[in-house]
Amino acid sequence: MADIRTTSIEADCFYHIYNRGINGELIFKSDRNYSFFLNKVVEFLTPVCDVYAYCLMPNHFHLLVKIKSDLELSSLVKVQNLDKATQTGLHSPQNIFSKQFARLFNSYSQSFNKEYKRHGALIESPFKRKLITSDKYLINMIIYIHQNPQNHSIAHQFSKYNFSSYQSILSKSRTLLKRDEVIELFGGVENFKLSHLRTINLKDEF
């Protein structure tokens, strides 16, 4: 596997983004923590990527995202003056996305540390990512992410777990997700449900 510190992030590509707490420590201890993290995803990540799936677990998380186009990222740089935060590659998706991820981690970690009276780093760095190279891989990764709570024995039924995107994709409520695109990828709601009954044999990073 390529070194995650040097693997570039490219515009218009799908990535499985995942990470965990330092030394496997808990990074979510309450419902409020999960909700706060998702709010920070909306604030810092949705300007630079579209979110297709997520799962937040007590000591790690998974996100499936599609990086926005070069044009959209270039516009964001100009609007938010992100060029002041990058040393090279002004319009590089790698720099823009990594900067926003750092903002997410820093904001969340500061809040978590204050609430639980702890100090120091909370989440491992750099964040880990895998390029999604086909529609089949994309579909399987979505299923894998949603099945994670059951695979880790955190939930008896993954479909009932409150902190993944599975329920949100099936609901009509407002969401940060690209819900319609996900359902279209699976060929409809019923096939989305049926596909999730399959066992997905992907290597478990945790």
Side-chain angles (χ1 to χ4, degrees), residues 57 143-144 147-155 158 199-200 204:
M57 303 281 282
I143 298 171
Y144 166 78
Q147 291 179 347
N148 222 242
Q150 191 169 321
N151 291 340
H152 283 273
S153 301
I154 299 298
F158 72 84
T199 299
I200 301 299
D204 192 339

Side-chain angles (χ1 to χ4, degrees), residues 94-113:
Q94 173 73 47
N95 282 339
I96 297 169
F97 187 79
S98 295
K99 178 62 181 177
Q100 293 301 93
F101 228 97
R103 289 179 170 181
L104 163 64
F105 285 168
N106 290 338
S107 180
Y108 180 78
S109 296
Q110 287 175 15
S111 175
F112 186 94
N113 284 352

Side-chain angles (χ1 to χ4, degrees), residues 4 6-18 45 48-54 61-68 73 93-94 97 101 127-134 137-138 141-142 145 205:
I4 58 174
T6 59
T7 301
S8 296
I9 289 177
E10 302 295 337
D12 282 320
C13 290
F14 284 96
Y15 290 90
H16 173 208
I17 306 291
Y18 55 101
L45 294 192
V48 295
C49 67
D50 295 323
V51 182
Y52 278 65
Y54 68 82
F61 65 85
H62 298 268
L63 299 170
L64 183 59
V65 304
K66 183 181 182 182
I67 308 302
K68 291 188 180 292
L73 294 174
Q94 173 73 47
F97 187 79
F101 228 97
F127 63 87
K128 302 172 181 67
R129 63 265 196 179
K130 290 183 179 178
L131 175 66
I132 305 298
T133 53
S134 69
Y137 189 10
L138 178 62
M141 184 57 71
I142 291 172
I145 288 173
E205 296 90 352

Side-chain angles (χ1 to χ4, degrees), residues 5 8-9 77 82-99:
R5 294 171 178 81
S8 296
I9 289 177
V77 168
L82 292 184
D83 54 312
K84 295 179 180 178
T86 58
Q87 300 299 315
T88 59
L90 170 60
H91 301 296
S92 164
Q94 173 73 47
N95 282 339
I96 297 169
F97 187 79
S98 295
K99 178 62 181 177

Side-chain angles (χ1 to χ4, degrees), residues 160-173:
K160 305 296 184 183
Y161 189 67
N162 291 328
F163 307 111
S164 85
S165 51
Y166 182 85
Q167 294 182 27
S168 296
I169 288 172
L170 294 176
S171 76
K172 299 295 183 182
S173 59

Side-chain angles (χ1 to χ4, degrees), residues 187-195:
V189 171
E190 291 308 312
N191 198 50
F192 174 84
K193 295 178 182 178
L194 287 173
S195 296

